[in-house]
Amino acid sequence: EASLIARLKAGEMAAFDELVEEFQGIVYALSLRVLNDAEDARDATQETFLKVYRHFAHFRGEASLKTWICRIAINQARSTERWWRRRHKNDTASLDAPLGLNREDERPAEDFLASPDVTPEAETLLRERGRQLEAALRQLKKDFRIAVILRDIDGLSYEEIAYVTDVSVGTVKSRIARGREMLREIVQAGVRS
């Protein structure tokens, strides 16, 4: 990471390409989980990397590069969400949005790839479990959802999450514990019904 940072500070474009290649997946996934909209997440991801490029001179190394970029991504996603809320996004529809008639067009590419180790039944159960968890995550309040995603999906430490979300470590631990408990309750309620 230190050599990449040095190359970035020197203004090397190939280094920025490497940075985008390395972190675009995590930034997109984080944006998607905050915004719940693929198109908005793509836009927020682009804006995040534009901000990283423009403001890299301000990177002081107080946190890892990944943590710094995640903080920018979270802030950008929240900004995008506020922008749409002010413009009543729920009242608009994209002409490019999938029809969603059978939800096949919304499935990730890996769902279409067969694995010789997984039976069709097991694959269906895994996919259904994944859908339940994603739906449950969407029901969490934003602060809890972000904390759980950063810890359990992206694997950030409590200190890194505190830096990304600009709250204390104690608050992070509380949000993660409460978020996990709410997720458990939502999933269990869905199983019972």
Side-chain angles (χ1 to χ4, degrees), residues 81-102:
E81 184 179 52
R82 282 189 301 273
W83 189 88
W84 277 115
R85 196 177 319 122
R86 285 192 304 268
R87 285 154 185 81
H88 307 286
K89 180 179 181 168
N90 293 338
D91 299 338
T92 63
S94 170
L95 296 175
D96 296 326
L99 295 175
L101 298 174
N102 60 9

Side-chain angles (χ1 to χ4, degrees), residues 9-187:
K9 289 198 179 221
E12 186 181 320
M13 284 308 295
F16 186 73
D17 291 342
E18 285 177 36
L19 176 118
V20 171
E21 186 68 30
E22 183 174 346
F23 293 107
Q24 71 182 350
I26 191 172
V27 169
Y28 175 75
L30 196 53
S31 299
L32 181 60
R33 286 191 170 99
V34 170
L35 295 166
N36 294 322
D37 183 279
E39 191 63 34
D40 289 346
R42 281 191 287 276
D43 291 344
T45 299
Q46 285 183 343
E47 288 297 320
T48 296
F49 284 110
L50 282 172
K51 286 183 178 179
V52 167
Y53 180 77
R54 288 184 191 133
H55 303 289
F56 195 78
H58 301 292
F59 177 68
R60 295 184 304 268
E62 295 173 350
S64 72
L65 191 56
K66 176 182 176 181
T67 304
W68 184 71
I69 291 171
C70 284
R71 182 176 190 164
I72 294 170
I74 292 284
N75 289 337
Q76 182 58 47
R78 286 178 171 169
S79 177
T80 299
E81 184 179 52
R82 282 189 301 273
W83 189 88
W84 277 115
R85 196 177 319 122
R86 285 192 304 268
R87 285 154 185 81
H88 307 286
K89 180 179 181 168
N90 293 338
D91 299 338
T92 63
S94 170
L95 296 175
D96 296 326
L99 295 175
L101 298 174
N102 60 9
R103 303 196 57 87
E104 289 293 313
D105 50 356
E106 297 175 13
R107 289 174 41 200
E110 60 263 19
D111 284 357
F112 294 100
L113 303 176
S115 169
D117 302 332
V118 180
T119 66
E121 180 182 2
E123 190 176 312
T124 301
L125 289 173
L126 283 171
R127 192 168 32 250
E128 182 58 30
R129 182 71 174 163
R131 274 197 275 268
Q132 287 174 343
L133 285 174
E134 286 292 332
L137 268 173
R138 283 192 296 275
Q139 292 179 44
L140 291 181
K141 289 184 180 178
K142 185 115 14 229
D143 291 336
F144 298 113
R145 181 177 353 138
I146 289 169
V148 169
I149 289 167
L150 289 173
R151 179 69 181 164
D152 295 336
I153 296 174
D154 295 332
L156 270 61
S157 70
Y158 293 124
E159 293 77 15
E160 289 173 320
I161 297 168
Y163 177 81
V164 168
T165 57
D166 201 24
V167 296
S168 72
V169 173
T171 302
V172 167
K173 289 179 179 180
S174 172
R175 286 179 181 176
I176 291 170
R178 289 197 54 209
R180 286 174 179 165
E181 182 58 34
M182 286 187 259
L183 269 177
R184 194 174 301 113
E185 290 171 5
I186 292 167
V187 169

